[in-house]
């Protein structure tokens, strides 16, 4: 019951209230390692992350990960999801090396999973690739970020061709190209930056975006900035 109440508070954005309920739910669970404990610890970890209590978040998330690894194995998608959450906390703490290790392990797990639904696998793999790209950009590793966003773009285009892509894939491709354009601009590679922006605008035109739409207007502004 407390877990359900905590979930309702979570959906309402009342993080502190949800955390209290999750803790009560955890105390009511039979002691030991089981998946219910892992689920609750995971939710507690997410709550602590939003509350910027990162040390507490890591304790709960690592406990959730240990239980999942012990019960379901180190190649389970839920373990990969927990690694993502741990990686996010490390990123917020500025511990980029540890974050990258988590994201890379999650990616390896997802790439090796025999998903019955190709779209589900594609979405999970893209999540990992995007986490890695954002991490490199956040840490200021521009060259690594360019490579990482390039990998995201390649995966997105492959999924678009194979039909395994989520419905939002074309808009996602445009946004990836905009991110690449910004990175190329930082490297003073104006021609590549403009090329990415042209491709992004072409995708948006194909989707029916008007020139006055916020996203196409953003691309136009960036193009002017990159070409001057």
């Amino acid at each position: 019951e407390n877990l359900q109440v905590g979930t309702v508070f979570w959906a309402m954005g009342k993080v502190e209230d949800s955390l209290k309920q999750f803790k009560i739910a955890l105390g009511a669970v039979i002691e030991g390692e089981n998946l219910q404990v892992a689920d609750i610890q995971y939710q507690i970890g997410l709550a602590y992350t939003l509350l910027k209590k990162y040390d507490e978040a890591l304790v709960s998330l690592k406990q959730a990960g240990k239980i999942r690894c012990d019960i379901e194995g180190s190649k389970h998608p839920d373990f990969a999801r927990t690694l993502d959450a741990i990686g996010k906390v490390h990123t917020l703490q500025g511990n980029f090396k540890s974050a990258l290790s988590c994201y890379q392990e999650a990616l390896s797990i997802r790439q090796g999973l025999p998903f019955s639904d190709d779209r589900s696998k594609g979405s999970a793999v893209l999540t990992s690739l995007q986490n890695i790209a954002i991490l490199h950009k956040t840490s200021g590793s521009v060259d690594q970020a360019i490579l990482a966003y390039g990998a995201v773009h390649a995966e997105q285009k492959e999924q678009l061709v194979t039909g395994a892509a989520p419905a939002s894939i074309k808009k996602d491709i445009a946004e990836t190209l905009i991110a690449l354009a910004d990175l190329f601009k930082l490297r003073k590679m104006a021609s590549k930056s403009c090329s990415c922006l042209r491709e992004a605008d072409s995708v948006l035109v194909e989707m029916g975006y008007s020139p006055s739409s916020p996203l196409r207007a953003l691309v136009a502004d960036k193009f002017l900035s990159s070409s001057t």
Side-chain angles (χ1 to χ4, degrees):
E1 181 181 349
N2 294 107
L3 182 58
Q4 292 176 340
V5 173
T7 302
V8 171
F9 279 134
W10 183 270
M12 295 170 63
K14 297 182 177 181
V15 181
E16 291 186 350
D17 290 329
S18 69
L19 178 59
K20 291 176 184 177
Q21 295 300 320
F22 291 147
K23 286 183 175 181
I24 294 171
L26 183 62
V29 175
I30 298 173
E31 291 187 5
E33 291 192 353
N34 61 68
L35 293 180
Q36 187 177 13
V37 171
D39 287 340
I40 297 172
Q41 288 282 25
Y42 179 79
Q43 292 297 331
I44 290 173
L46 295 184
Y48 274 133
T49 301
L50 287 177
L51 294 171
K52 299 183 180 180
K53 296 182 178 181
Y54 301 133
D55 290 338
E56 293 92 331
L58 284 177
V59 170
S60 293
L61 291 171
K62 287 181 178 180
Q63 182 62 25
K66 179 183 182 301
I67 294 171
R68 290 206 171 279
C69 191
D70 289 345
I71 296 175
E72 297 176 315
S74 61
K75 301 300 180 182
H76 195 278
D78 285 342
F79 181 57
R81 183 165 58 96
T82 306
L83 286 169
D84 280 343
I86 294 172
K88 181 177 180 179
V89 176
H90 283 311
T91 300
L92 291 168
Q93 290 181 314
N95 192 351
F96 300 125
K97 184 176 180 180
S98 295
L100 180 60
S101 177
C102 289
Y103 291 150
Q104 287 176 332
E105 186 176 354
L107 174 62
S108 177
I109 292 169
R110 286 165 171 154
Q111 287 176 327
L113 285 171
F115 280 75
S116 58
D117 181 354
D118 286 342
R119 183 167 293 183
S120 295
K121 179 174 182 176
S123 178
V125 168
L126 272 176
T127 294
S128 288
L129 290 173
Q130 288 166 337
N131 284 339
I132 291 170
I134 292 169
L135 171 65
H136 284 310
K137 185 177 181 179
T138 302
S139 67
S141 302
V142 177
D143 293 334
Q144 291 299 316
I146 288 172
L147 292 174
Y149 274 105
V152 172
H153 184 227
E155 179 68 21
Q156 288 171 329
K157 291 182 73 173
E158 181 179 347
Q159 290 185 24
L160 185 62
V161 170
T162 61
S168 63
I169 191 65
K170 287 187 177 180
K171 182 172 181 287
D172 294 341
I173 287 173
E175 290 175 344
T176 298
L177 286 164
I178 292 169
L180 273 168
D182 289 342
L183 291 164
F184 281 127
K185 183 181 178 182
L186 286 174
R187 276 288 172 261
K188 302 187 183 303
M189 302 169 74
S191 62
K192 288 191 175 183
S193 180
C194 289
S195 177
C196 288
L197 292 170
R198 288 191 192 96
E199 187 177 347
D201 191 61
S202 177
V203 171
L204 294 172
V205 169
E206 183 181 338
M207 293 178 66
Y209 280 74
S210 69
S212 60
S213 65
L215 202 50
R216 282 197 69 194
L218 175 66
V219 171
D221 287 344
K222 287 181 177 293
F223 186 83
L224 288 174
S225 175
S226 293
S227 58
T228 55

